[in-house]
Amino acid sequence: QVQLVESGGGLVQAGGSLRLSCAASGRTFSSFAMGWFRQAPGKEREFVAADSWDGDTTDYADSVKGRFTISRDNAKNTVYLQMNSLKPEDTAVYYCAAEGPGATPDEYDYWGQGTQVTVSS
């Protein structure tokens, strides 16, 4: 079993930045790939970013490329999502997920509880 806890969400103005964190426990963190997804009200959960178990390979949704960066610290069992140049359309609940890799929710076995990100215009 893997437990995931996200933090770092909040309210920010358009153009601002936030860094989300996802702390993992329960299994060797460095053995699995991680992903970030988001879900806005009335919409399906969508892929944001993912990385490989060693962090060497990353993938991003087109909508966030050049603005968001996924990274990890295996010593701290934590994956991060640095979000810059935020837009109102980035408003959503953000979830981290473990045991990918992949760009669809079905490819992940474990999920955090989510953290709200709200970007005001």
Side-chain angles (χ1 to χ4, degrees):
Q1 282 284 5
V2 176
Q3 292 79 43
L4 304 172
V5 179
E6 301 101 332
S7 61
L11 173 64
V12 64
Q13 288 188 333
S17 298
L18 283 175
R19 188 176 81 156
L20 306 183
S21 300
C22 174
S25 62
R27 275 181 49 191
T28 304
F29 178 72
S30 59
S31 68
F32 45 82
M34 299 292 294
W36 285 97
F37 290 77
R38 66 188 181 186
Q39 188 166 18
K43 295 188 176 181
E44 293 187 352
R45 193 167 296 191
E46 66 173 3
F47 171 73
V48 175
D51 78 345
S52 56
W53 65 271
D54 56 3
D56 283 351
T57 303
T58 57
D59 188 24
Y60 297 93
D62 288 343
S63 59
V64 307
K65 275 181 185 175
R67 301 188 298 122
F68 290 12
T69 303
I70 187 171
S71 63
R72 64 165 61 203
D73 185 338
N74 283 342
K76 295 183 178 180
N77 290 349
T78 301
V79 64
Y80 304 98
L81 185 68
Q82 178 67 44
M83 306 186 295
N84 298 329
S85 302
L86 283 161
K87 305 175 181 179
E89 52 263 44
D90 294 318
T91 296
V93 177
Y94 283 70
Y95 298 89
C96 70
E99 284 268 84
T104 61
D106 289 348
E107 295 174 273
Y108 292 82
D109 294 328
Y110 304 99
W111 292 84
Q113 83 288 351
T115 186
Q116 176 70 46
V117 171
T118 302
V119 184
S120 63
S121 56

